[in-house]
Amino acid sequence: MFRFKKKEKLSVPLEVPKHIGIIMDGNGRWAKKRMQPRVFGHKAGMEALQEVTIAAKEMGVKALTVYAFSTENWTRPQQEVSFIMNLPVEFYDRFVPELHRNNVKIQMIGEVSRLPKETLEALEKAEALTHSNTGLILNFALNYGGRAELTQAVKQIAQEVLDAHLNPGDITEETIANYLYTSSLPKDLRDPDLIIRTSGELRLSNFLPWQAAYSELYFTDVMWPDFGEKALHDAIEEYSHRHRRFGGV
Ligand code: FPP
């Protein structure tokens, strides 16, 4: 008797980006659609971040840099700013233990010294607790602005020149990269391979302008609180079909 072998469903080969940057946009609109205050969306956004971090780790991503608060976000209503500033405190209690069990290492970039004391303390506790972890790096961009990052790098480099520690002729792209906030990341993970922006907006909004020079960009209409494991998988799948040429052929 002839027997047909059941065709196996092939899983799509995934080339997983090592470092993903995420612009977590659309929290406010997501909440408004549900007739809730904007902060309800930020809370849901924090929950989405937990799911995405664990999913990214399971897919083999090495670093996630998430745009949690920009240098421009201070202009939002005071109540919303305070709510967002309290999220790391809640995040530490509710989510950091699970991330720690998953070997996730928490770091941050930005003008973090200007964050409220309790916010900074919660993040520093998370950094200290997960310091020796060797898995995915969850890198929070907080009070981050790309132009501010470049400005502080230029100031530091100018000072090095004034102090005669550096010769202007010796300044290379690597020198500049060494003065950016992302110098806190392992060398091969400083630049994101893929940047995801949710909520249908098509811009980078001062997020990692130097580091994004060769990043693949992925825009989706999904609002950040709805972005989960499946949406991350879709983004990575699309990435795996792109051909990165870095200016070559
Ligand atoms: C942008 O959406 C979102 C933010 C400015 C805040 C993002 C923060 C989180 C997702 C939580 C991060 C977690 C921690 C622990 C800090 P929006 O408010 O601009 O949305 P809209 O464009 O619909 O108004």
Side-chain angles (χ1 to χ4, degrees):
M1 197 174 72
F2 224 38
R3 287 181 69 199
F4 287 99
K5 205 173 168 208
K6 211 173 167 190
K7 208 174 173 194
E8 250 187 82
K9 209 176 165 205
L10 291 172
S11 62
V12 185
L14 286 181
E15 189 184 319
V16 176
K18 283 194 291 185
H19 180 181
I20 304 180
I22 308 184
I23 304 174
M24 307 181 289
D25 200 7
N27 294 346
R29 277 164 286 164
W30 181 91
K32 199 173 166 208
K33 211 174 147 203
R34 285 158 182 77
M35 310 223 273
Q36 296 287 339
R38 292 175 53 79
V39 296
F40 183 72
H42 296 316
K43 202 175 168 85
M46 181 170 68
E47 284 157 13
L49 176 60
Q50 183 75 355
E51 178 180 333
V52 167
T53 304
I54 303 282
K57 171 232 148 190
E58 274 160 17
M59 286 182 215
V61 175
K62 305 271 180 256
L64 264 190
T65 296
V66 293
Y67 208 3
F69 196 84
S70 78
T71 45
E72 289 73 38
N73 287 152
W74 295 107
T75 58
R76 294 186 174 213
Q78 168 63 34
Q79 194 210 13
E80 182 175 345
V81 171
S82 305
F83 188 92
I84 297 176
M85 287 300 146
N86 194 49
L87 285 179
V89 178
E90 190 182 339
F91 183 77
Y92 184 81
D93 294 333
R94 273 182 68 198
F95 295 124
V96 170
E98 186 190 13
L99 295 179
H100 186 37
R101 283 197 299 279
N102 277 275
N103 199 22
V104 170
K105 180 172 171 147
I106 294 169
Q107 295 190 191
M108 53 188 162
I109 55 169
E111 272 302 319
V112 294
S113 61
R114 292 194 42 225
L115 295 173
K117 190 167 159 279
E118 295 74 28
T119 313
L120 189 55
E121 272 173 11
L123 289 156
E124 283 174 344
K125 273 199 297 182
E127 273 193 334
L129 178 73
T130 62
H131 181 256
S132 309
N133 288 351
T134 53
L136 178 142
I137 297 171
L138 174 58
N139 188 33
F140 281 99
L142 272 160
N143 197 20
Y144 175 86
R147 289 185 173 183
E149 177 183 39
L150 283 161
T151 306
Q152 65 78 39
V154 170
K155 281 185 186 159
Q156 285 191 68
I157 292 170
Q159 193 61 52
E160 296 283 6
V161 170
L162 270 181
D163 296 345
H165 293 143
L166 190 62
N167 184 342
D170 294 335
I171 297 172
T172 62
E173 290 185 8
E174 197 184 346
T175 316
I176 295 170
N178 285 339
Y179 285 90
L180 299 177
Y181 300 135
T182 40
S183 61
S184 58
L185 294 169
K187 266 209 167 104
D188 64 326
L189 294 179
R190 288 179 178 176
D191 299 341
D193 304 291
L194 170 67
I195 293 183
I196 297 172
R197 183 172 192 151
T198 56
S199 91
E201 306 292 347
L202 306 179
R203 56 183 173 271
L204 291 179
S205 301
N206 209 11
F207 183 55
L208 303 174
W210 172 278
Q211 300 87 337
Y214 288 103
S215 304
E216 292 294 326
L217 307 179
Y218 178 85
F219 298 103
T220 170
D221 288 340
V222 175
M223 298 288 153
W224 174 250
D226 288 331
F227 194 93
E229 186 176 1
K230 168 76 172 70
L232 179 70
H233 191 275
D234 289 350
I236 293 179
E237 192 176 290
E238 163 138 357
Y239 170 86
S240 73
H241 295 121
R242 304 247 184 116
H243 300 286
R244 301 183 76 198
R245 294 198 298 270
F246 298 98
V249 288

